[in-house]
Amino acid sequence: MNGGFERHGRVALIRWANPPVNGLSFALRQHLSAALDAAVADVAIDAIVLAGEGRMFSGGADIREFNTPRGVAEPTTPQLIQRIENLGKPVVAAIHGSALGGGLELALGCHWRVADAQASVALPEVKLGLLPGGGGTQRLPRLVGVETALDWIVSGRTVSATKALEAGLLDAVFEGDWLSRAIAFAAGLDPAKALRPTGARAVTPPADAAALFGAAREKARKTARGLEAPLQCIACVEKSLDGPLQEGLAFERQRFVELVNGTQSKALRHLFFGEREAAKPPPDAQGAALRPVQRVGVIGAGTMGGGIAMAFANAGYAVTLVEVTDAALAKGLETIRRNYAATVAKGKLDAAQMQDRLARIHGSTAMQELAEADLVIEAAFEDIAVKHGLFQQLDAIARPGAILATNTSRLDINDIAAVTRRPQDVVGLHFFSPAHVMKLLEIVRGRATAPDVIATVLGVAKRIGKVPAVVGVCDGFVGNRMVSPYTREAHFLLEEGASPARVDQAVERFGMAMGPLRMGDMAGLDISWAARKRQAPTRPRHLRYCHIADRLCESGRLGQKTGAGFYRYEPGSRAPVPDPAVESIIDACARESGITRRAITDEEIVERTMYALVNEAARILQDGVARRGSDIDVIYVNGYGFPAARGGPLFYADTVGLPQVLARIEEFHRLHGPLWEPAPLLAQLVAQGESLSGYVVPTEPT
């Protein structure tokens, strides 16, 4: 990069390239500053146009420079924007692609803003636990009004060029050759009116500011529970109503610095980069030719199968949904129709879109109709004999090269693949319920799964809007393998003295979307009961075992679907009601195990459940079932309700301090026995002073 510019008559065109998103790195800021120097010094230049090269105007700050010296090296982004606003020559921002975050703030500092008709803008910093720190909370209200600015900033929503023009953010929108027209726009500016500093404009107070900001805070507390950034965004926009621009900018900057140095933003940025790493193919699959996937088959029209069918139909795929009987198929299709109708009723889909999506789903009771599918996903009952039978049928029916996937949440992919003559085509696609809503997709790679299959399903995951993570084979893979010790400790805590409500409430106050016992009731206690019975023959007899959940299932308490589990449920209600009958079962199990119940603190509940996750995650990394610590955090936040503001269980452990976490696990080992034996990787990382969330499994040289 250098400080040059292109001359177009009396207009200077300053462009920049910093692939892939033209992030406002220190180097790019230096380039812009030098180019502005040259344009200002040239007496033959009357106006300046700023434009990015490549895909977009600018994706904003270079996030990797946050919390580093380069992030605050001068010129900083706020300094650069302030300089543009105060420049003696008019500056026009010519936006194409996207102008996001600091990129949009750069445009806000310009005197004029024009855009390609296909462009979009956003201030999405709140999604990374931040607020616009380059004047966005102060300049945007001056252009679009306080109420609109508040909505855009607190939601982080993306706004089309057309809507931005209507709102007053843009001065013109161009179809076709946007750059030439932007230059012509700059050349045609009236010199007497060309300088329009955004910051010099007055902010028009809303009719009832107190009510507006009060409602915004209430909404943020409900929808962004525990997150600091939305509330700070609101405070900054509110500050735009008071005093001159410079006071607002100072207020905004102070709060930005607090957030960028805080744990929540660091956690959310960890997940941001973690999701991008998890979506990359493993080394041997990079560059693999992708298999074509246009037609998708789904076996099973129950809750999971129907949701999977919807996920693919929503993304434009043609889906064949197969069930055993006409009655089961009709029930499944009707559930899909009701789900879409509910989305239409909420205004998130229109009737025509609903019909289009329904038309993409073809129901059948004939397995033979899957013969032309490019990808088949079975979502049948979680029984290995059922899976074997289905995959033997698929092996005989599916076309050569078709990808055969199982949605199993625990069973051995290698065992399933072994009944086919094409184990290289078999993969696990573990969706989470409801499959058309939940973002996580565990991609389970079997011993024989071909690299191009992994590369292909990663691409499919992106198209259907999922957050994928490639994992290896073991009982429960990553997510459900970690659930086992987590729920184990919750059950032990019941035996030792806590009530179900006490355990769930402590974990929910920590930030989990739902406590382990409520979660079990919602999922159905019979699912984990079946897994425990399957594991029973290999369970070491000397290890502690809690019978509470088994007793509940034996008495017909299978969770919400039977009206009773760890809690009681009134007809038609999902609200958990504490039940004395459960306390009786807990007391009986404690007596049989020789346990004297005691008072248990919330702190112990959180430590034992969370550190059980951490210890098992370290073992998963040791075993090579996950490739990176960040993959596990991505899985747990997107699939299991772990609070994003804590960055996932491994990032949380690093935040607490890995030495302290290890010391507590060692104490639990002394108090509670071999189930708490510390994972060797934890001791290794503590000794080396390294993090768990940043750990990458070493790859053997080839």
Side-chain angles (χ1 to χ4, degrees):
M1 294 180 183
N2 56 49
F5 61 83
E6 297 175 17
R7 191 186 306 276
H8 294 263
R10 301 189 66 83
V11 175
L13 172 62
I14 298 175
R15 303 200 71 179
W16 56 82
N18 184 19
V21 297
N22 285 334
L24 297 173
S25 64
F26 174 52
L28 192 148
R29 299 196 303 272
Q30 285 181 309
H31 160 70
L32 272 175
S33 185
L36 288 169
D37 285 340
V40 169
D42 193 328
V43 295
I45 294 299
D46 293 333
I48 300 166
V49 172
L50 301 183
E53 295 183 6
R55 295 191 294 119
M56 63 178 64
F57 181 78
S58 173
D62 187 333
I63 301 170
R64 295 187 187 277
E65 290 188 354
F66 285 172
N67 306 115
T68 73
R70 295 178 74 84
V72 293
E74 296 185 354
T76 64
T77 300
Q79 288 172 340
L80 187 62
I81 294 168
Q82 187 82 65
R83 184 185 174 201
I84 291 170
E85 188 169 66
N86 295 335
L87 218 59
K89 295 182 180 182
V91 182
V92 178
I95 298 170
H96 81 292
S98 301
L100 308 176
L104 177 56
E105 290 179 295
L106 185 73
L108 293 176
C110 295
H111 306 102
W112 303 84
R113 286 154 297 281
V114 300
D116 172 46
Q118 306 307 312
S120 60
V121 299
L123 291 173
E125 288 89 344
V126 70
K127 298 177 182 180
L128 294 181
L130 297 170
L131 54 80
T137 66
Q138 304 306 300
R139 292 189 178 93
L140 189 63
R142 287 168 159 82
L143 290 173
V144 304
V146 171
E147 189 168 0
T148 299
L150 190 65
D151 174 42
W152 291 6
I153 291 170
V154 176
S155 69
R157 76 173 78 255
T158 298
V159 180
S160 69
T162 302
K163 289 191 177 298
L165 178 66
E166 292 171 358
L169 172 62
L170 298 177
D171 300 296
V173 169
F174 303 132
E175 293 279 1
D177 188 355
W178 57 273
L179 187 55
S180 294
R181 296 186 67 181
I183 293 168
F185 180 93
L189 290 173
D190 180 348
K193 301 176 182 177
L195 293 176
R196 300 186 315 166
T198 305
R201 300 187 184 197
V203 180
T204 303
D208 190 342
L212 174 66
F213 288 106
R217 287 187 174 92
E218 184 65 24
K219 181 180 179 181
R221 290 189 180 102
K222 288 180 180 177
T223 60
R225 189 164 53 97
L227 292 175
E228 301 164 0
L231 295 173
Q232 294 284 31
C233 286
I234 294 166
C236 287
V237 174
E238 190 171 30
K239 182 65 178 177
S240 73
L241 295 170
D242 303 331
L245 174 71
Q246 292 306 318
E247 286 186 14
L249 292 177
F251 185 89
E252 174 194 88
R253 194 65 193 168
Q254 179 185 351
R255 274 140 190 80
F256 175 84
V257 170
E258 290 172 1
L259 290 173
V260 81
N261 290 324
T263 300
Q264 286 194 2
S265 177
K266 291 175 181 176
L268 293 168
R269 282 179 270 149
H270 165 70
L271 292 169
F272 175 83
F273 289 117
E275 288 183 11
R276 278 146 187 79
E277 286 297 314
K280 294 177 181 177
D284 69 330
Q286 292 173 8
L290 304 185
R291 300 189 187 188
V293 177
Q294 295 178 335
R295 294 199 62 85
V296 176
V298 179
I299 301 174
T303 300
M304 185 60 79
I308 293 171
M310 290 176 69
F312 280 93
N314 292 349
Y317 286 97
V319 181
T320 300
L321 181 61
V322 175
E323 252 297 356
V324 176
T325 66
D326 289 329
L329 179 62
K331 181 180 178 182
L333 291 172
E334 179 54 31
T335 299
I336 290 171
R337 178 178 290 278
R338 283 202 310 271
N339 287 339
Y340 277 132
T343 307
V344 171
K346 294 175 184 175
K348 297 180 179 180
L349 200 70
D350 62 37
Q353 290 171 320
M354 170 179 166
Q355 291 306 317
D356 285 345
R357 295 180 187 194
L358 285 171
R360 293 184 195 124
I361 302 173
H362 165 64
S364 177
T365 56
M367 285 279 285
Q368 191 62 41
E369 290 206 34
L370 301 174
E372 297 305 314
D374 304 304
L375 167 65
V376 181
I377 306 164
E378 69 78 17
F381 187 67
E382 193 78 334
D383 179 275
I384 195 66
V386 172
K387 308 289 190 189
H388 282 169
L390 285 172
F391 273 80
Q392 285 169 338
Q393 289 183 69
L394 285 175
D395 194 29
I397 292 169
R399 66 167 185 78
I403 297 172
L404 309 182
T406 173
N407 181 56
T408 181
S409 60
R410 283 188 171 273
L411 300 177
D412 189 335
I413 304 295
N414 296 321
D415 188 10
I416 293 170
V419 304
T420 74
R421 293 163 295 176
R422 47 172 111 178
Q424 73 279 2
D425 296 337
V426 177
V427 67
L429 293 181
H430 179 207
F431 288 81
F432 288 71
S433 186
H436 58 294
V437 175
M438 293 291 285
K439 290 290 188 183
L440 180 64
L441 178 61
E442 272 188 320
I443 296 174
V444 189
R445 183 172 193 171
R447 191 164 41 242
T449 307
D452 66 333
V453 168
I454 296 298
T456 300
V457 294
L458 278 166
V460 168
K462 180 179 180 180
R463 181 172 165 184
I464 63 175
K466 300 302 180 188
V467 175
V470 178
V471 302
V473 176
C474 66
D475 195 315
F477 317 130
V478 169
N480 283 343
R481 174 171 163 178
M482 288 170 63
V483 161
S484 294
Y486 170 72
T487 53
R488 175 199 79 203
E489 289 305 308
H491 296 170
F492 286 166
L493 286 160
L494 295 180
E495 274 191 321
E496 293 169 32
S499 67
R502 182 69 184 272
V503 171
D504 282 341
Q505 288 165 9
V507 170
E508 288 165 13
R509 279 192 289 269
F510 172 81
M512 294 292 288
M514 186 178 292
L517 308 174
R518 285 182 59 206
M519 183 177 70
D521 276 2
M522 185 181 73
L525 299 181
D526 51 326
I527 296 174
S528 54
W529 188 33
R532 290 193 299 274
K533 287 189 286 187
R534 179 168 49 81
Q535 295 163 347
T538 58
R539 185 184 304 120
R541 297 301 173 191
H542 68 283
L543 294 180
R544 179 180 172 186
Y545 183 80
C546 178
H547 294 274
I548 293 171
D550 294 349
R551 296 284 171 82
L552 292 174
C553 292
E554 289 162 4
S555 63
R557 302 179 68 106
L558 304 182
Q560 290 182 7
K561 59 188 172 186
T562 60
F566 282 101
Y567 301 91
R568 179 171 58 81
Y569 300 88
E570 298 293 344
S573 172
R574 292 179 177 271
V577 179
D579 192 339
V582 175
E583 286 295 336
S584 297
I585 291 172
I586 293 170
D587 284 336
C589 288
R591 284 195 303 273
E592 291 170 17
S593 298
I595 294 171
T596 301
R597 302 187 79 208
R598 59 186 171 85
I600 294 177
T601 65
D602 285 4
E603 181 182 20
E604 182 180 353
I605 292 169
V606 169
E607 286 185 333
R608 283 180 57 182
T609 52
M610 298 307 144
Y611 294 173
L613 288 176
V614 171
N615 201 35
E616 192 64 28
R619 295 188 184 282
I620 285 170
L621 288 170
Q622 281 174 206
D623 295 345
V625 174
R627 294 184 287 162
R628 288 172 287 259
S630 59
D631 286 3
I632 297 177
D633 282 338
V634 166
I635 287 168
Y636 243 76
V637 168
N638 286 285
Y640 293 87
F642 197 93
R646 295 188 186 273
L650 283 70
F651 188 88
Y652 169 68
D654 289 331
T655 302
V656 172
L658 215 52
Q660 292 90 319
V661 172
L662 175 59
R664 198 74 172 114
I665 288 173
E666 289 172 337
E667 184 177 353
F668 290 149
H669 186 210
R670 290 191 296 273
L671 291 172
H672 301 293
L675 287 170
W676 273 102
E677 182 177 353
L681 179 62
L682 287 178
Q684 174 191 322
L685 294 177
V686 168
Q688 295 171 346
E690 296 179 6
S691 75
L692 184 58
S693 60
Y695 181 77
V696 178
V697 176
T699 55
E700 295 182 8
T702 56

